[in-house]
Amino acid sequence: MPFVKKILEYKSVSFVGMEKNAGKTQTLNYVLSRLRSFADVRLAISSIGIDGETVDQVTHTAKPEITISKGTKFVTAQALYPQKQIVSQIESLSRSTTALGRLITARAMSEGKVLLAGPSGTKQLKHFIDTLLCDCNLCLIDGALSRMSFGSPCVTDAMILSTGASVSASLGVMIDRTKFTYELTQLPKYQGSEVESLKQKDNGIFALSKGEIIDLEVPSLLMIDRYKDKIFSFGRTLFVSGVLNEKFMKFVCSQKDIESTEIIIKDFTKNFASAESVRRFLQRGGRLSVLYPANLIAITANPISPSGYNFNNEQMLDALRQAIPTDIYNVKTL
């Protein structure tokens, strides 16, 4: 039962796809089917975006439905709740609303298929996870297209990443993009004494000097050209509370003394700089660290693309395993 036992080491796990049709929902269904053999698992499940529909609303291709077992708690929107193919009991109704209505938390009284549409923001999702875990011991979150932030270790304890032919028609490009995402999940935790204080910072760029956190008063990294003289005025250790972008990384890579420079971000999902810039910075001795390190359980790979091209399954898996030192599977062949 590859990687499923690892999931039981955590309370919450997100399923994140690098692109649509990367096999994320197939992976979730595989895990759900295997978890049925663990009698002590009290399971809850929700989603970002709409999951469980039979046809993708963007690509108009067939999608795997989500099947849950009796006793599973699930969160979905009012508009979708009547489309369930199970007997269920409503336990609560949220005060806040979404585009599809208020969120219903229910418990499945039989096995069957459901449509999931849960909280749309990370803070709201974290609140729902904490609430669900009051009487469940494992919460699974199905992600959505390019919403990597919901795999953030700020939101869930661990994640499973899905990749495959939908990422690129080139096997080499798909592998390199997946490898870079893996590399980001391996960024080390910042070890300074300021960690807890930095977690409370939501806006701005800060210098860290002798235990002191100094607001550089730079409104945005997009305005780096105007404020570049400020960036290293208090030392070479910087905390970027928001998104780390390409423009800022190129600026840092153009500086001297990169080997004494450390950039801190909240977690790997905050990096929006290119693989080329990040790797150049690290190769020249710079350090990139995070406040919340990621726990990547496994990578799953789908060799089939809805665009009509496929990879050879064994060739794809072998190439991925040679490039990335973690557990990698095609759940359709397990």
Side-chain angles (χ1 to χ4, degrees):
M1 197 176 294
F3 75 81
V4 174
K5 286 187 177 180
K6 285 187 179 180
I7 290 175
L8 300 179
E9 298 174 13
Y10 302 96
K11 290 185 177 181
S12 58
V13 177
S14 56
F15 293 73
V16 178
M18 292 190 59
E19 293 289 345
K20 274 187 174 291
N21 303 106
K24 169 182 57 66
T25 304
Q26 286 182 347
T27 301
L28 174 60
N29 274 326
Y30 168 81
V31 170
L32 289 171
S33 68
R34 296 303 184 270
L35 287 175
R36 291 172 191 152
S37 62
F38 295 89
D40 58 341
V41 174
R42 301 187 308 279
L43 188 63
I45 184 170
S46 189
S47 170
I48 294 298
I50 301 175
D51 274 297
E53 73 267 46
T54 57
V55 178
D56 188 284
Q57 299 303 306
V58 177
T59 62
H60 304 292
T61 54
K63 288 187 63 177
E65 298 174 279
I66 294 174
T67 301
I68 62 175
S69 300
K70 179 180 178 180
T72 301
K73 269 196 174 188
F74 64 99
V75 177
T76 195
Q78 277 179 296
L80 300 182
Y81 182 74
Q83 299 182 44
K84 60 186 172 56
Q85 299 177 36
I86 58 171
V87 177
S88 61
Q89 178 179 331
I90 294 176
E91 297 195 347
S92 65
L93 185 63
S94 72
R95 293 183 179 180
S96 59
T97 188
T98 70
L100 295 172
R102 294 162 72 184
L103 295 176
I104 292 172
T105 300
R107 187 179 298 275
M109 309 305 289
S110 65
E111 180 178 320
K113 296 179 173 63
V114 292
L115 269 172
L116 300 177
S120 59
T122 54
K123 289 184 178 180
Q124 189 183 20
L125 177 59
K126 180 62 176 172
H127 170 74
F128 266 88
I129 290 173
D130 292 342
T131 302
L132 291 168
L133 287 174
C134 288
D135 62 353
C136 296
N137 55 15
L138 177 60
C139 186
L140 305 181
I141 303 296
D142 198 357
L145 172 65
S146 300
R147 303 285 289 277
M148 194 73 75
S149 62
F150 294 99
S152 165
C154 300
V155 180
T156 56
D157 297 334
M159 65 176 285
I160 294 173
L161 180 68
S162 294
T163 188
S166 64
V167 174
S168 174
S170 164
L171 180 60
V173 171
M174 182 274 285
I175 290 171
D176 190 63
R177 285 185 58 187
T178 307
K179 181 180 179 181
F180 179 58
T181 301
Y182 168 80
E183 291 169 356
L184 293 177
T185 67
Q186 303 305 298
L187 290 174
K189 182 178 180 179
Y190 175 64
Q191 297 298 325
S193 60
E194 312 92 342
V195 169
E196 294 306 316
S197 296
L198 292 176
K199 287 179 180 179
Q200 308 307 313
K201 306 290 186 184
D202 290 325
N203 295 290
I205 306 163
F206 303 84
L208 279 60
S209 178
K210 299 178 181 178
E212 185 180 359
I213 302 172
I214 305 160
D215 189 344
L216 296 178
E217 299 180 350
V218 177
S220 168
L221 289 184
L222 296 174
M223 303 171 68
I224 188 65
D225 291 340
R226 188 183 303 179
Y227 294 92
K228 60 185 178 181
D229 292 339
K230 277 190 170 186
I231 297 301
F232 295 113
S233 56
F234 293 93
R236 311 291 301 185
T237 302
L238 303 173
F239 172 60
V240 178
S241 62
V243 168
L244 181 64
N245 65 19
E246 177 73 359
K247 191 171 187 178
F248 184 74
M249 282 303 297
K250 283 187 173 180
F251 164 74
V252 173
C253 287
S254 70
Q255 305 301 301
K256 298 178 180 179
D257 302 322
I258 287 183
E259 66 278 0
S260 61
T261 302
E262 181 169 13
I263 299 174
I264 308 157
I265 54 178
K266 283 199 172 178
D267 64 72
F268 83 97
T269 69
K270 298 298 184 182
N271 175 69
F272 278 55
S274 68
E276 180 182 6
S277 292
V278 172
R279 286 168 174 164
R280 184 188 307 123
F281 174 71
L282 296 174
Q283 287 165 1
R284 292 181 59 187
R287 297 185 303 282
L288 181 60
S289 56
V290 294
L291 301 182
Y292 297 91
N295 293 307
L296 180 65
I297 292 174
I299 295 174
T300 64
N302 178 12
I304 300 172
S305 167
S307 299
Y309 58 86
N310 302 330
F311 296 145
N312 175 277
N313 183 60
E314 291 305 317
Q315 181 184 12
M316 175 193 69
L317 290 175
D318 287 346
L320 281 168
R321 288 165 179 162
Q322 287 179 25
I324 304 170
T326 194
D327 293 336
I328 301 174
Y329 306 97
N330 177 356
V331 297
K332 296 289 285 185
T333 60
L334 291 176

